[in-house]
Amino acid sequence: MNKAVRNAVIAGNWKMNKTRPEAKALIEELKPLVKDADCGVVICVPYTNLETALELTKGSNIKVGAENCHWAKSGAFTGEISADMLAEMGVEYVVIGHSERRQYFGETDVTVNKRVRAALDAGLKVILCVGELLEQREQGITEEICAMQTKVALLGVSEDELKNIIIAYEPVWAIGTGKTATADQANEVNGYIRSVVAKLYGEKAAEALTIQYGGSMNAGNAEELLSKEHVDGGLIGGASLKAPDFATIVAAASK
Ligand code: 13P
């Protein structure tokens, strides 16, 4: 397994933050700070900021993503947004299966799989989130949970389509808590997820798959996490809302 064959990607997940003027200010501040990045840079923003983000990042190295999408192409799903709607706007990425969606909005492995399928069919790149709860880690079933979430999410996804998927390992106990997984813990689970993917798609496909870590990654701990063999980038919540902090993480991934 050779880390150098993989693309490092640092993605911000803004969650439910930033009005349009705030989004504009953040993107304007961020652009010059990450322009020389030697890794992928993505900002996943609320639906209401997509147009602003697409407009402001035109001609820059920053790609734009949404934070979720529905599985149907269109129809009676009040309040939802389809993958086609995102693709038509020029959105490139979509986060699917975030633990906050699983925790607060009834997202299951099966609906995650349906959303993944819809996103791929629309030509979007998927940032697929998996990760265990604290109780599950304490019960020693982290691997089982991550394997299950990964396998179900990838049902019906071909080896060719896997190229449009990034997996983000986000231990739920580390999200927004300031409690980061140690670099070794992150590396261990990322490596395990890669072995699960290798069993499904073969070693070569697994070797090429970008697997991020997410959960309290910040300007201070990013370098150590990103130095690990299986940590190919980060999905960043809180620290993505501050341009200098996000840029420091991007710089750490560019080394
Ligand atoms: P924090 O970086 O705020 O812990 O959030 C991580 C996350 O959930 C990214 O999707």
Side-chain angles (χ1 to χ4, degrees):
M1 292 278 167
N2 179 6
K3 185 179 167 94
V5 305
R6 295 191 283 277
N7 244 350
V9 178
I10 299 295
N13 173 11
W14 288 12
K15 309 190 178 184
M16 196 175 73
N17 291 292
K18 303 291 176 188
T19 61
R20 276 189 304 170
E22 288 167 352
K24 186 169 186 292
L26 176 54
I27 295 167
E28 293 292 19
E29 189 185 352
L30 187 61
K31 269 197 293 191
L33 299 180
V34 299
K35 70 175 182 355
D36 298 319
D38 192 18
C39 66
V41 182
V42 184
I43 51 171
C44 300
V45 305
Y47 295 130
T48 48
N49 287 329
L50 285 172
E51 196 145 20
T52 305
L54 287 164
E55 195 59 38
L56 292 176
T57 56
K58 237 180 236 162
S60 81
N61 59 332
I62 302 175
K63 312 281 188 203
V64 174
E67 300 176 12
N68 188 25
C69 69
H70 197 261
W71 56 80
K73 282 189 101 54
S74 63
F77 297 102
T78 302
E80 292 294 312
I81 302 283
S82 76
D84 285 347
M85 290 171 179
L86 298 174
E88 184 278 330
M89 292 181 79
V91 170
E92 258 184 75
Y93 286 83
V94 61
V95 176
I96 294 181
H98 193 279
S99 63
E100 287 148 18
R101 304 262 359 137
R102 295 177 192 256
Q103 195 176 350
Y104 304 124
F105 302 101
E107 191 80 75
T108 65
D109 292 345
V110 172
T111 55
V112 166
N113 175 243
K114 289 166 81 165
R115 291 181 209 271
V116 167
R117 272 267 34 107
L120 292 172
D121 288 342
L124 296 172
K125 296 190 173 82
V126 172
I127 300 177
L128 166 66
C129 302
V130 301
E132 82 286 2
L133 304 171
L134 182 59
E135 305 88 271
Q136 293 167 333
R137 176 162 282 262
E138 286 170 351
Q139 280 168 26
I141 55 170
T142 296
E143 291 190 346
E144 284 89 336
I145 295 296
C146 291
M148 174 77 127
Q149 291 180 352
T150 302
K151 286 182 186 173
V152 178
L154 295 178
L155 277 174
V157 173
S158 71
E159 186 182 335
D160 201 42
E161 289 173 323
L162 191 69
K163 294 184 185 120
N164 287 324
I165 292 194
I166 290 174
I167 293 182
Y169 166 56
E170 299 207 310
V172 180
W173 47 271
I175 295 177
T177 57
K179 217 176 177 186
T180 324
T182 64
D184 286 333
Q185 282 173 325
N187 191 47
E188 194 184 335
V189 182
N190 278 28
Y192 175 73
I193 293 169
R194 198 180 304 288
S195 75
V196 169
V197 172
K199 280 198 196 112
L200 295 173
Y201 295 95
E203 290 284 329
K204 197 151 179 261
E207 185 176 37
L209 178 71
T210 297
I211 305 183
Q212 300 172 321
Y213 167 78
S216 299
M217 196 191 267
N218 59 40
N221 61 24
E223 190 164 346
E224 194 193 351
L225 284 159
L226 292 165
S227 71
K228 294 291 173 183
E229 158 82 21
H230 293 290
V231 180
D232 309 313
L235 185 56
I236 321 297
S240 73
L241 301 173
K242 294 180 205 124
D245 289 20
F246 191 63
T248 302
I249 300 170
V250 167
S254 301
K255 280 192 180 147

